[in-house]
Each structure stands twice: as structure tokens, then as C-alpha cells.
């Protein structure tokens, strides 16, 4: 039996991995990316596990699969794959995918400097700047983002009472700001982030169980954002996002930054036109901006944009040999 072969381009966006699958992925029907995501999860999830988990990936692995768009007004369809599942939207994944697709010639823009992508959460536009073949910077105009629930009080085993906001930026986030019961991200080790985050996620999911008001396929609290003041002189704030079972985002997290800008706008701390530079746990930056207002199922929402960079780090032909007892990946 021949092994399954996947043609991938590996990149990272501000430190977080983006494995772009350009060949070998399952052929899916010409339906929306939201429907493709449902089909992929039900019938082909082994592809995600094989490409994201060890021995080919790791605890924070993330990537995307390129598909033709089902909509006339989009240049590319993107399915986000990650250790946590198939995300509705991924910001660092978009910046990495666009960089790879342009540099490798997987997409030819109709208008230089602009692309439109069909993603499971909807349609997004990006602008990019390139120098010859190489993409210097990508700005993505994300889907409308909103504060879903404010000041939610939960009891977290090992931590005690905690107040969090639940905000949506393409995924649902529990945002934990410094507070009397918790000193902030600066006082945390990575080991503590990994231990406490699943407990916070479970407690907040039980309390709120968020469902997107306009697309019930998008539901569940998937990510925890630990927030603090900036260290970088150009940043407004710093964060670490936890995902999957053991992943900490090395980038400032695009959907997380969108969710945080929505939260801060709803609380009167940002307004349309404001910039919000977000720093990651390793000191890299995303340049967020509140572009405008919107409405999501009766909630006041914002239209955020996020600017960042990505670099290609390798071409990777990945084999999945069914005779291998660990062919479909494992986690410790
Ligand atoms: O950048 O949106 C993001 C993201 C989601 C999970 C990890 N990164």
C-alpha cells in the first residue's frame, strides 16, 4: 500500500507555526467553506491529526489547507487545521497562508495588493505589501467581532474566583485581565498557563457555553487569553493564548486580538480608528486597528483589522504510512 502524500509549505507567523497543505488533501464538494469544514471534521479528521500531532507536528501545531473558493467574490478557500480541531477562523494562520500562497504562486491576485478569502467563518479581505516575490506584510480585515458576555464570575479549581470576559473574534475567547485574585500574565510561568488554562476554559464553558448568534456551527469556548500590560515599547498590551490541550500561541493571536479589541471597544477603552498593538509571549507584535462598527445577532460589534508578517521556513513532503502504528499522530 502506498503512503498518503501531502505537499506542504511550512511557515511561521510571528513565531507561531503555519503548515500550508497545497497538495494531497481530500477533494471536497463545491460547497461553502463552512460546509466543507463540517464534512472534513466528520470524514477526514485523520488528515488533521496526522499533520498536526507528533511525530510530524507538536503541541502548538497549526496550519491550513488550500481549496478553490465556492464564491465568485473570493480568490482562495482556506480550511484551518490545528491541534484543537478545525477553527472557524485563524488570524496568524491567514497571514501565514497568504504569504505562502503568494510567494509560491498558489494564488494569482485579480488586483495586486489585495485578496479575498473564503474561510469557514465567512469572507475576509486581506491587503499585502510585497517586494518582488517576497511578502513583507499582510493586513487582514477580519469578520465582525463582539463582546459576548462581560464580567463573568467563575470558580476555578486551584485558582479560586476569577472574573473573565467572553469575546468573539473568529473563535470564542475567555479574556483574563489582571485582578485582585490574579496578578496577571507577568507573574505566570508557561507551566502555569498550561495547567490553569484548561480549568478556566471548562469553568467558563460551563457558565456561558457561547454560540455564535448567526451561525450555530460556531460554538464553544476554545481559547483562553491571559492578558497583561505591554513590555515592548510599541505595544499597548501583552497576551498569551492557550489552545488545544497544551498549545500556547507564539504569535499575538489574530482572532484573539480581534476579540480583545471588541472587548475593549465595548468597555469604552477603544474607539473606531484606534490602533491596538498586541505583543505575544515571545515579544512579537500584531498591529490591530478598529476599522468600523457592525452588528452580530443584536450585539454591537466591531470590524477589526490585524497586520503582521510571516516567513516561509521549508518545503515539506509528508508521508503517512498506514503500516506505521503511530501514522495518525499521538499526544503525550
Ligand atoms: O491567530 O487567530 C489566531 C490563532 C488562533 C489560534 C492560534 N492562533
Amino acid at each position: 500500500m502506498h503512503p498518503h502524500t501531502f505537499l506542504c509549505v511550512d511557515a511561521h507567523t510571528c513565531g507561531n507555526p503555519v503548515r500550508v497543505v497545497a497538495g494531497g488533501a481530500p477533494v471536497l464538494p463545491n460547497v461553502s467553506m463552512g460546509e466543507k469544514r463540517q464534512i472534513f471534521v466528520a470524514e477526514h479528521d485523520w488528515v488533521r491529526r496526522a499533520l498536526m500531532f507528533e511525530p510530524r507536528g507538536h503541541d502548538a501545531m497549526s496550519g491550513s489547507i488550500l481549496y478553490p473558493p465556492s464564491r465568485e467574490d473570493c480568490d482562495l478557500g482556506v480550511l484551518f487545521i490545528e491541534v484543537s480541531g478545525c477553527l472557524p477562523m485563524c488570524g496568524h494562520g491567514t497571514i501565514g497562508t497568504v504569504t505562502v500562497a503568494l510567494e509560491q504562486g498558489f494564488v494569482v491576485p485579480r488586483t495586486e495588493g489585495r485578496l479575498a478569502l473564503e474561510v469557514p467563518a465567512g469572507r475576509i479581505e486581506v491587503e499585502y505589501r510585497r517586494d518582488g516575490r517576497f511578502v513583507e506584510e499582510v493586513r487582514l480585515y477580519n469578520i465582525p467581532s463582539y463582546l459576548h458576555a462581560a464580567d463573568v464570575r467563575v470558580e476555578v479549581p486551584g485558582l479560586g474566583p476569577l472574573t473573565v470576559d467572553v469575546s468573539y473574534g473568529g473563535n470564542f475567547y475567555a479574556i483574563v485581565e489582571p485582578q485582585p485574585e490574579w496578578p496577571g500574565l507577568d507573574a505566570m510561568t508557561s507551566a502555569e498557563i498550561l495547567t490553569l488554562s484548561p480549568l478556566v476554559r471548562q469553568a467558563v464553558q460551563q457558565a456561558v457555553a457561547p454560540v455564535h448568534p448567526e451561525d450555530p456551527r460556531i460554538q464553544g469556548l476554545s481559547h483562553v487569553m491571559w492578558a497583561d500590560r505591554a513590555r515592548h515599547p510599541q505595544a499597548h498590551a501583552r497576551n498569551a493564548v492557550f489552545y488545544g490541550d497544551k498549545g500556547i500561541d507564539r504569535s499575538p493571536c489574530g482572532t484573539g486580538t480581534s476579540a480583545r479589541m471588541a472587548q475593549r471597544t465595548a468597555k469604552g477603552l477603544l474607539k473606531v480608528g484606534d490602533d491596538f498593538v498586541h505583543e505575544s509571549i515571545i515579544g512579537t507584535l500584531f498591529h490591530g486597528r478598529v476599522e468600523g462598527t457592525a452588528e452580530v445577532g443584536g450585539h454591537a460589534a466591531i470590524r477589526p483589522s490585524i497586520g503582521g508578517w510571516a516567513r516561509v521556513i521549508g518545503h515539506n513532503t509528508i508521508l503517512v504510512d498506514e503500516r506505521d502504528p503511530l501514522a495518525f499522530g499521538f499526544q503525550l
Side-chain angles (χ1 to χ4, degrees):
M1 179 184 285
H2 295 292
H4 304 276
T5 304
F6 297 92
L7 304 176
C8 305
V9 180
D10 283 354
H12 74 91
T13 300
C14 292
N16 218 41
V18 187
R19 172 164 289 161
V20 179
V21 184
V27 174
L28 298 178
N30 186 26
V31 291
S32 73
M33 285 311 302
E35 289 163 284
K36 282 195 182 76
R37 172 176 175 246
Q38 306 281 100
I39 297 169
F40 183 91
V41 169
E43 296 172 20
H44 307 283
D45 200 48
W46 68 268
V47 174
R48 177 187 69 81
R49 285 183 272 110
L51 297 180
M52 297 289 107
F53 292 138
E54 292 187 62
R56 302 174 195 83
H58 52 75
D59 287 339
M61 195 65 192
S62 187
S64 66
I65 306 180
L66 304 181
Y67 280 102
S70 69
R71 307 168 49 138
E72 289 284 313
D73 59 354
C74 288
D75 300 291
L76 193 62
V78 181
L79 184 71
F80 297 108
I81 50 175
E82 201 191 73
V83 281
S84 64
C86 279
L87 298 180
M89 172 58 194
C90 181
H92 91 275
T94 299
I95 293 169
T97 301
V98 164
T99 301
V100 166
L102 286 164
E103 290 189 2
Q104 306 293 315
F106 298 147
V107 67
V108 179
R110 287 178 254 203
T111 309
E112 179 56 25
R114 301 185 73 87
L115 284 173
L117 306 185
E118 184 185 359
V119 301
R123 177 182 183 273
I124 59 165
E125 294 187 355
V126 301
E127 287 174 0
Y128 60 87
R129 188 169 55 77
R130 59 177 163 181
D131 183 4
R133 168 183 180 161
F134 296 105
V135 177
E136 298 294 343
E137 199 189 16
V138 175
R139 176 164 292 275
L140 74 98
Y141 293 82
N142 200 3
I143 41 94
S145 304
Y146 72 98
L147 177 62
H148 186 86
D151 304 319
V152 178
R153 195 81 174 147
V154 288
E155 186 69 30
V156 181
L159 196 59
L162 203 61
T163 303
V164 308
D165 293 321
V166 176
S167 197
Y168 178 78
N171 302 291
F172 283 106
Y173 287 80
I175 302 179
V176 192
E177 305 271 6
Q179 51 197 272
E181 294 88 350
W182 177 68
L185 173 61
D186 274 355
M188 280 181 112
T189 63
S190 301
E192 283 170 328
I193 294 174
L194 295 176
T195 311
L196 291 174
S197 298
L199 303 174
V200 172
R201 183 167 57 192
Q202 193 180 12
V204 179
Q205 171 63 24
Q206 265 168 16
V208 179
V211 179
H212 192 284
E214 292 174 356
D215 185 352
R217 292 173 301 190
I218 301 176
Q219 55 173 279
L221 189 94
S222 46
H223 296 64
V224 177
M225 174 183 286
W226 301 92
D228 215 326
R229 68 189 192 289
R231 287 182 180 168
H232 193 292
Q234 286 169 16
H236 295 104
R238 183 167 169 262
N239 83 103
V241 160
F242 171 85
Y243 58 95
D245 292 331
K246 293 179 195 161
I248 302 176
D249 198 332
R250 275 72 171 145
S251 86
C253 193
T255 51
T257 300
S258 301
R260 191 145 189 224
M261 288 195 291
Q263 170 226 23
R264 291 174 76 83
T265 305
K267 293 194 159 187
L269 301 171
L270 284 177
K271 60 182 186 326
V272 173
D274 281 353
D275 290 324
F276 180 70
V277 181
H278 219 185
E279 180 183 356
S280 73
I281 193 165
I282 63 164
T284 50
L285 303 180
F286 276 170
H287 294 260
R289 194 180 304 133
V290 183
E291 299 285 349
T293 55
E295 200 214 278
V296 176
H299 297 266
I302 62 160
R303 289 184 294 105
S305 76
I306 306 289
W309 55 267
R311 294 290 174 262
V312 173
I313 54 176
H315 290 180
N316 201 344
T317 302
I318 295 184
L319 306 183
V320 179
D321 181 343
E322 292 195 21
R323 295 167 308 158
D324 176 354
L326 302 176
F328 301 110
F330 64 88
Q331 274 189 301
L332 286 186

